[in-house]
Structure formats: C-alpha cells, structure tokens
C-alpha cells in the first residue's frame, strides 16, 4: 500500500516531503471564478528562451492519494525538474553496513519513481542536519533497528569516520535509485546559530562527503544550500563552505524574517538592495534556488510573534522577481516549495494531534490556493514554463 508523505521535519521546513501515510454556493464560486479570470495575465508566450529549469517538490495539499496525484500532475505538466527532498533523518546503521533499507523508505522511493515522468531533470536534496539546522540529523524515524543502536549513532559527532561513511553510503543508495542530475548533499548548512566547535565538525564532514561524491560522480554537480538572510554570521558561515560546493544553492523564504517586513508589510518591492546578489556573487560559481516560496495570505502565528501581511499580488511580484533574477544571472534551476496550499494537510495533522505552529509557516505559499483557485503566480509560472529551455 502506498504511503503519503507526512514527516514533520520537512513540514517544519523543509517540512520537506516525507513518509507517506495512507488515508484515506454556486454564486460564490462564479464570483471567484470571474474575479480570478479577470486578473489572469495575458497568455501570450514571450519569444524569449528560458535559461533555467523550473520545478517543485511533490509535497501534497493533504495526506491522501488523490492529493498526491495532483501534486505529481503539476510536476509532470508544469515543470522540467523535480526536487526529491529527504529530510526525515538518516538510517545510519543500515547505510553503514549496507543492509536492507527500512521498508518505509523503500516504499517512498518506489512511489516517487513511479509517479514522476522520466523526461524530467532530477534534483536530489538530502539534509544532514535536523530541523534546527545546527545539529546532526537524527536517526531515520521509521527504522526498526533497536533503540540502543539508534542512540549510539545519535551520540557520534559529525567528524566521526563512521558517520561520514554512513552518510556517504546513504547518498549513494539514493543516487543509485534516482539517478539525479544535481545533488544537494547539505540542505541549509549556514545557520548563524551553529556552535563554533560544532560548525568546525560539520565542515570536516562536508569536506569529506564532497570529496567522496566527486570521486564517485565527477560529472554530477554536487552542492550545499544556504539560508538567505541579512545575518552577517550566516553569510560568513556560507563563505567558509564554498570549497565544498559546485553551485551556490539558495534557500529563501524572506517573508518570515526580512527587515523590510518588521511591521508586517511583505511587499517584495521593499527588500533591501542586493538581498540575493550578496549570496549569488560570493564566488565565481553558478547558482540556483534550491527551494523558495512566498505567502499569498496573511501569516499570523502568535507563538512566533509573527503577523505578516500576504497578498496574491505580492506573491506574484516575488515570483516574478526571482524568475527575472534567475534569467538575468543564469541560474541553473528554480525550485518552488509546493504547488498548492496545504490547509487540509494541517487540519489533518491537528486532528491527529501532530500539528505544531511551525507547520503553518509555509501553508499558504502555493501557486494554487486551498480551494483549487489558480493564483496570479500560477499564470506567471505557466507563462515562464512555456518558454523554450535553452541548454
């Protein structure tokens, strides 16, 4: 039986994709349809080639097979790259000893492969850090190995040769299955809150893993991604990791913390100058948007002191900003987090007692809203996707 991704690690950002759980007014409708249609931009295809690939993750709007199918339908018809993101921990014991991988992981991989068109480019993203992005990833949550074995691996430091071997073997297992065109082996690696000694350990880890990957796959671009922010510490950490990346990967959700939104106004026209360029030009290397998105509705989460204003227009303007930036600065690809809002998914988690406020940060960032209405950003995406992709 197929499983629908539910891992709260990636839902917490990158509250990424995860272990799949099986699950199972007419006037108003016309008004909304007419309103949406009247705002639809001109469908004329601009005769200009597109220099970068466009894609999303398979994160569904709800934990049902139907919603998962809709997520893949968008991928297979509106994308030329798919982001397979693994952020649910590492099966260290199984990987280190080359044992059979957990059944849940095998099922997830088979599901992803069976639902993805074979002509798409593939980005494989794997998080070596847990959701704090300043500590080693925990043990893969659905592994059946004994708790004492899990504990022993969780207690090992990043620079431990066994950790490096286990992580490399895990990457090789995923690479063998997905045959990726790009590998992000260090999702969001520049947290400014890293303890200095731990960051030193992490650099040793990344250096060795990078060397292993380039030795085994010299023709595949291997990179780490950076959280884009105005933090000087985050930028310094990013520069220290440049020797271990072929691409400068950007992970950007500016509406949460950018200084221009301190009073709640998330209009991207107010972004600080060179917000993205500072990272893009860190080194003479290509760049990509490894993951990004933007709210189209208000974001109010009192536990995080968040009261941000979101509109469909601002979301669309943000998308246009990064699309033009990707075109003008020769990005390799651009990954939007999810194609549709996941209000229903969060409601399900609440009913199961699994919800935390962190899950709400990216709920309303879809190109399609929770009522299946296509937003302005959907048509912007569609028109850009229609452009011929040049090599």
């Amino acid at each position: 039986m197929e499983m629908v991704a539910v891992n709260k690690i990636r839902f917490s950002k990158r509250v990424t994709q995860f272990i799949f759980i099986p699950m199972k007014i007419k006037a108003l409708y016309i008004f909304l349809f007419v309103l949406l249609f009247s705002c639809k931009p001109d469908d004329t295809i601009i005769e200009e080639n597109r220099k970068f690939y466009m894609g999303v993750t398979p994160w569904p709007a709800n934990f049902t097979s139907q919603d998962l199918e809709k997520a893949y339908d968008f991928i297979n018809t509106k994308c030329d790259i798919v982001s397979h993101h693994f952020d649910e921990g590492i099966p260290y014991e199984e990987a280190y000893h080359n044992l059979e991988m957990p059944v849940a992981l095998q099922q997830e991989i088979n599901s992803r492969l069976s639902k993805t068109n074979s002509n798409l480019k593939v980005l494989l993203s794997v998080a070596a850090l847990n959701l704090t992005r300043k500590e080693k990833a925990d043990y893969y949550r659905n592994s059946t190995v004994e708790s004492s074995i899990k504990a022993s691996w969780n207690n090992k430091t990043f620079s431990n040769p066994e950790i490096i071997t286990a992580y490399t073997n895990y990457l090789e297992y995923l690479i063998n299955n997905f045959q990726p065109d790009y590998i992000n082996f260090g999702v969001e690696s520049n947290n400014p809150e890293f303890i200095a000694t731990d960051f030193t350990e992490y650099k040793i880890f990344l250096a060795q893993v990078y060397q292993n990957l380039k030795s085994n796959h010299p023709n595949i671009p291997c990179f780490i991604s950076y959280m884009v922010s105005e933090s000087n510490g985050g930028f310094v950490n990013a520069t220290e990791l440049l020797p271990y990346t072929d691409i400068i990967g950007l992970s950007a959700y500016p509406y949460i913390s950018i200084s221009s939104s301190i009073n709640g106004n998330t209009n991207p026209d107010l972004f600080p100058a060179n917000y993205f360029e500072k990272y893009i030009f860190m080194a003479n290397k290509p760049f990509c948007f490894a993951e990004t998105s933007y709210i189209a509705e208000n974001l109010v989460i009192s536990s995080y002191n968040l009261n941000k204003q979101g509109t469909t227009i601002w979301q669309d303007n943000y998308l246009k900003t990064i699309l033009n930036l990707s075109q003008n600065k020769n990005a390799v690809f651009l990954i939007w987090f999810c194609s549709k809002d996941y209000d229903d998914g969060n409601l399900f988690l609440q009913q199961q007692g699994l919800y935390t406020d962190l899950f709400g940060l990216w709920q309303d960032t879809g190109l399609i809203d929770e009522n299946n209405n296509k937003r302005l950003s959907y048509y912007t995406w569609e028109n850009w996707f229609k452009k011929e992709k040049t090599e």
Side-chain angles (χ1 to χ4, degrees):
M1 179 179 288
E2 209 171 11
M3 311 208 42
V4 181
V6 81
N7 188 349
K8 65 181 178 182
I9 291 180
R10 173 59 198 178
F11 221 155
S12 0
K13 192 168 179 287
R14 300 100 228 95
V15 159
T16 119
Q17 294 132 274
F18 305 70
I19 312 291
F20 288 102
I21 301 178
M23 291 243 1
K24 196 197 149 285
I25 352 193
K26 183 174 180 182
L28 178 59
Y29 174 83
I30 294 173
F31 170 76
L32 290 174
F33 178 82
V34 172
L35 179 64
L36 179 62
F37 185 81
S38 67
C39 296
K40 179 178 176 180
D42 182 16
D43 280 339
T44 302
I45 302 175
I46 300 174
E47 291 190 8
E48 178 185 5
N49 293 331
R50 171 167 49 89
K51 300 177 182 178
F52 54 95
Y53 295 105
M54 298 171 62
V56 300
T57 73
W59 185 244
N62 198 4
F63 304 103
T64 67
S65 58
Q66 293 89 345
D67 283 292
L68 186 61
E69 292 295 337
K70 291 178 182 178
Y72 275 100
D73 180 67
F74 184 91
I75 288 171
N76 292 327
T77 61
K78 303 296 181 183
C79 301
D80 44 22
I81 186 171
V82 58
S83 173
H84 287 302
H85 192 120
F86 288 82
D87 205 351
E88 61 272 16
I90 312 300
Y92 294 104
E93 180 78 3
E94 295 93 330
Y96 182 76
H97 294 288
N98 290 309
L99 303 175
E100 184 175 1
M101 288 295 178
V103 173
L105 177 60
Q106 295 184 49
Q107 291 176 333
E108 182 179 356
I109 291 172
N110 291 335
S111 174
R112 290 172 183 247
L113 291 172
S114 67
K115 296 180 185 303
T116 308
N117 285 351
S118 59
N119 63 327
L120 297 177
K121 295 291 184 179
V122 176
L123 165 63
L124 173 65
S125 289
V126 186
L129 299 166
N130 66 15
L131 62 91
T132 69
R133 298 301 191 237
K134 58 182 180 179
E135 297 167 324
K136 182 167 59 68
D138 298 324
Y139 208 100
Y140 181 73
R141 64 194 304 267
N142 283 336
S143 173
T144 58
V145 301
E146 297 178 3
S147 57
S148 60
I149 295 177
K150 293 181 180 180
S152 68
W153 282 99
N154 287 337
N155 289 332
K156 297 180 189 295
T157 63
F158 260 126
S159 61
N160 187 307
E162 294 180 346
I163 289 291
I164 295 171
T165 297
Y167 190 70
T168 299
N169 288 352
Y170 180 53
L171 289 173
E172 291 295 338
Y173 172 76
L174 295 174
I175 291 168
N176 183 61
N177 277 279
F178 288 103
Q179 298 295 306
D181 299 279
Y182 308 96
I183 303 169
N184 178 359
F185 66 97
V187 171
E188 299 182 331
S189 292
N190 63 317
N191 192 334
E193 297 180 1
F194 244 121
I195 297 173
T197 53
D198 292 344
F199 188 63
T200 297
E201 291 268 341
Y202 187 49
K203 285 192 292 184
I204 295 171
F205 166 85
L206 289 177
Q208 188 59 61
V209 172
Y210 177 70
Q211 180 178 321
N212 293 342
L213 287 175
K214 297 308 294 183
S215 177
N216 296 336
H217 310 281
N219 298 321
I220 301 179
C222 300
F223 70 98
I224 57 180
S225 59
Y226 304 122
M227 293 182 284
V228 180
S229 74
E230 296 161 273
S231 164
N232 183 64
F235 183 76
V236 170
N237 283 351
T239 60
E240 292 186 18
L241 300 178
L242 285 172
Y244 321 125
T245 188
D246 296 334
I247 300 173
I248 296 174
L250 307 184
S251 177
Y253 302 90
Y255 59 90
I256 297 175
S257 61
I258 198 164
S259 59
S260 59
S261 72
I262 189 169
N263 294 317
N265 186 335
T266 63
N267 185 345
D269 291 342
L270 304 177
F271 280 10
N274 299 316
Y275 178 71
F276 293 113
E277 288 84 349
K278 180 178 180 180
Y279 278 83
I280 292 172
F281 297 127
M282 283 193 299
N284 186 24
K285 297 185 177 187
F287 88 98
C288 69
F289 278 95
E291 55 179 296
T292 190
S293 65
Y294 214 74
I295 51 173
E297 301 177 26
N298 292 345
L299 175 65
V300 181
I301 304 180
S302 58
S303 60
Y304 293 128
N305 295 316
L306 285 175
N307 190 341
K308 305 292 186 179
Q309 304 156 22
T311 73
T312 57
I313 293 176
W314 289 349
Q315 183 199 48
D316 187 47
N317 287 346
Y318 174 77
L319 178 57
K320 288 175 179 176
T321 295
I322 61 173
L323 285 167
N324 284 308
L325 185 65
S326 296
Q327 183 79 345
N328 295 333
K329 307 301 181 185
N330 300 310
V332 182
F333 53 81
L334 186 159
I335 303 296
W336 193 262
F337 173 42
C338 60
S339 58
K340 183 180 177 181
D341 289 0
Y342 53 83
D343 300 57
D344 290 342
N346 274 347
L347 178 60
F348 169 76
L349 292 175
Q350 291 169 3
Q351 294 169 343
Q352 301 299 311
L354 300 173
Y355 180 83
T356 70
D357 284 341
L358 191 61
F359 298 175
L361 293 178
W362 304 274
Q363 173 181 287
D364 298 309
T365 62
L367 306 175
I368 305 169
D369 72 16
E370 67 274 19
N371 297 314
N372 292 315
N373 296 311
K374 297 173 182 177
R375 291 189 168 120
L376 292 173
S377 57
Y378 176 94
Y379 296 106
T380 295
W381 181 278
E382 186 176 56
N383 284 337
W384 271 83
F385 182 68
K386 288 177 181 177
K387 299 180 182 183
E388 181 180 358
K389 166 67 176 70
T390 57
E391 295 298 329

